[in-house]
Amino acid sequence: METGSAVGEETAADGPVWTGLPPGLLRMRRLLLVVWLGLAAVAVGVPLGLFAGPGWAAFALLPLAGIGWGWVLLGRNWRSWRYAERADDLLISRGVLWREETVVPYGRMQLVEVTSGPVERHFGLASVQLHTAAAATDATVPGLDPAEAERLRDRLTALGEARSAGL
């Protein structure tokens, strides 16, 4: 019987300790949604209003409706992402309609990298990408704080080296 558990481990009764993604990722994705669909509304509405008449400019409302719909969907998608560090593997869970749970054993990890594109850097975010020998089990944890992403990378790398040495 287990008397205690280390950080990231769990007892059989508790289950994994899940960590959600920070709200900065949701803010970034919603801002991109508003910018791109707002530009699409202008690109559709102005030419139609000028050349086809004001009635046709109402088609610019379609991208604006997409903003409202996408706003809700992005929130649901963001809430569905989570990860858990367990004793022998990393769990990544995501999906609203189709739930997907990826289990990446530490000993199978070949490369753990932290990436951050220009938009992510502007919002202070980074992603952790896990690579294994099997391409189907490659996984990503997006939108983390850079310090958390580096901590996770270092922890996964250390656990991966420890587990692969025992193979």
Side-chain angles (χ1 to χ4, degrees):
M1 179 161 170
E2 203 173 330
T3 58
S5 60
V7 173
E9 295 181 7
E10 75 285 344
T11 62
D14 295 340
V17 178
W18 292 101
T19 304
L21 299 182
L25 178 65
L26 180 60
R27 282 193 300 273
M28 179 190 75
R29 288 181 174 174
R30 283 181 169 168
L31 178 65
L32 290 173
L33 174 76
V34 169
V35 167
W36 285 111
L37 288 182
L39 289 174
V42 170
V44 168
V46 170
L48 285 176
L50 290 175
F51 300 116
W56 288 97
F59 279 104
L61 296 175
L62 292 175
L64 295 178
I67 291 174
W69 184 56
W71 192 274
V72 173
L73 291 181
L74 284 173
R76 289 182 62 191
N77 180 269
W78 171 77
R79 282 189 299 277
S80 75
W81 275 88
R82 57 192 184 155
Y83 66 97
E85 300 171 59
R86 298 195 305 179
D88 296 319
D89 51 33
L90 178 74
L91 296 176
I92 301 172
S93 178
R94 65 189 171 277
V96 177
L97 293 178
W98 288 271
R99 297 284 303 155
E100 183 176 334
E101 191 167 289
T102 304
V103 179
V104 184
Y106 296 135
R108 301 290 180 188
M109 289 183 206
Q110 293 183 334
L111 174 68
V112 181
E113 60 184 351
V114 175
T115 60
S116 185
V119 176
E120 284 179 312
R121 281 193 307 272
H122 177 75
F123 282 88
L125 300 172
S127 296
V128 175
Q129 174 107 28
L130 311 163
H131 300 279
T132 64
T137 57
D138 286 359
T140 302
V141 181
L144 298 174
D145 177 68
E148 171 63 10
E150 290 175 10
R151 184 207 62 83
L152 186 60
R153 179 202 56 208
D154 293 345
R155 176 170 157 63
L156 295 177
T157 301
L159 288 169
E161 288 173 357
R163 298 298 191 276
S164 65
L167 292 178

